[in-house]
Amino acid sequence: LLELHRTRRDGTGETLLHRLEHGSTSGVTIPMRLGVNGAPARRQCTADFKIRVIDKWLRDHGATADQPATLGMGISLDELQRMNVSREAYKVLAYPLIDLRLTAADCVALVAEAGLPPAPKSACWFCPYHSLRAWHDLKRETPALFDKAVALEAMLMQRQQDNGGGAVFMHDRFQPLSAIVGDQTIMDLTPEDTCESGYCMT
Ligand code: SF4
């Protein structure tokens, strides 16, 4: 199992969190909700920190148009709508879970049957695609991380406004996390808690 990391042209590493905290002031790169029109902000995170990183590794290790790499995507049968075809000749996308007719629940059961612990969610802890339920879970299970998400949201909001932009929020209720995530039980069961690209586990 290889863990790939993004590196800049000068060879130094860069994480998405570092870019958010220290990077360009020209807008957020994760899909925060824009208070102006409710739309998600332009999302560069998946392309810059997953797809390009994996593609570079494939090319560095011999993937060419004549000999394309096969990239197995982590998308299950109940996520058919997320299937895609590659636009780059040096890679071919494969969907082994769909070929095996496995749903996400089937995968969870297989992992349990094998005696392995359940796989953690693949999303970043600060992902604006989190449901309200997921934010509550983060606050309950890892309050320090939740506090960091609250601080990150406030910092990105401030930066956006300093640059003449409108408000940005981590959740589509268009209120800060600190205002909408309390200690009460939450009934929002929206399952949108993962990064939907399928590139997290390839
Ligand atoms: S989990 Fe969310 S923030 Fe992280 S890369 Fe995916 S879309 Fe971007």
Side-chain angles (χ1 to χ4, degrees):
L1 181 65
L2 290 178
E3 191 173 299
L4 303 184
H5 298 267
R6 176 181 165 82
T7 49
R8 300 184 186 92
R9 292 220 168 106
D10 65 6
T12 58
E14 181 188 33
T15 65
L16 175 54
L17 180 60
H18 185 273
R19 180 183 289 184
L20 289 171
E21 290 178 333
H22 306 284
S24 151
T25 56
S26 59
V28 293
T29 54
I30 55 175
M32 292 180 79
R33 298 288 160 167
L34 303 174
V36 176
N37 55 15
R42 187 161 164 260
R43 171 180 157 196
Q44 288 171 242
C45 43
T46 295
D48 286 0
F49 289 86
K50 287 191 259 186
I51 298 175
R52 289 195 185 114
V53 174
I54 292 168
D55 284 5
K56 179 176 184 308
W57 190 93
L58 294 177
R59 291 194 306 273
D60 288 349
H61 288 78
T64 63
D66 290 334
Q67 283 192 305
T70 300
L71 193 59
M73 307 297 288
I75 287 178
S76 54
L77 188 60
D78 38 354
E79 304 167 306
L80 278 172
Q81 73 282 3
R82 291 163 56 188
M83 288 178 78
N84 217 332
V85 291
S86 173
R87 279 183 244 151
E88 290 81 23
Y90 56 80
K91 67 177 178 183
V92 175
L93 304 186
Y95 292 89
L97 302 179
I98 291 173
D99 292 344
L100 291 166
R101 319 296 294 169
L102 291 174
T103 64
D106 293 333
C107 297
V108 170
L110 282 170
V111 169
E113 276 171 31
L116 297 169
K121 293 197 173 83
S122 67
C124 303
W125 53 264
F126 48 80
C127 181
Y129 284 150
H130 280 339
S131 64
L132 202 49
R133 167 73 170 266
W135 287 117
H136 273 267
D137 289 349
L138 186 71
K139 181 173 183 178
R140 192 183 63 248
E141 292 163 13
T142 50
L145 218 45
F146 177 76
D147 289 347
K148 279 181 75 172
V150 168
L152 182 65
E153 178 184 53
M155 186 273 287
L156 292 170
M157 167 93 79
Q158 188 62 54
R159 182 194 292 167
Q160 191 80 347
Q161 292 180 333
D162 288 348
N163 285 284
V168 287
F169 301 99
M170 288 293 197
H171 193 271
D172 62 9
R173 288 198 180 185
F174 306 108
Q175 293 179 60
L177 290 176
S178 56
I180 58 172
V181 183
D183 298 321
Q184 73 277 27
T185 302
I186 267 297
M187 300 307 292
D188 174 358
L189 297 176
T190 310
E192 290 296 319
D193 292 342
T194 57
C195 188
E196 87 284 9
S197 70
Y199 270 81
C200 294
M201 307 289 177
T202 54

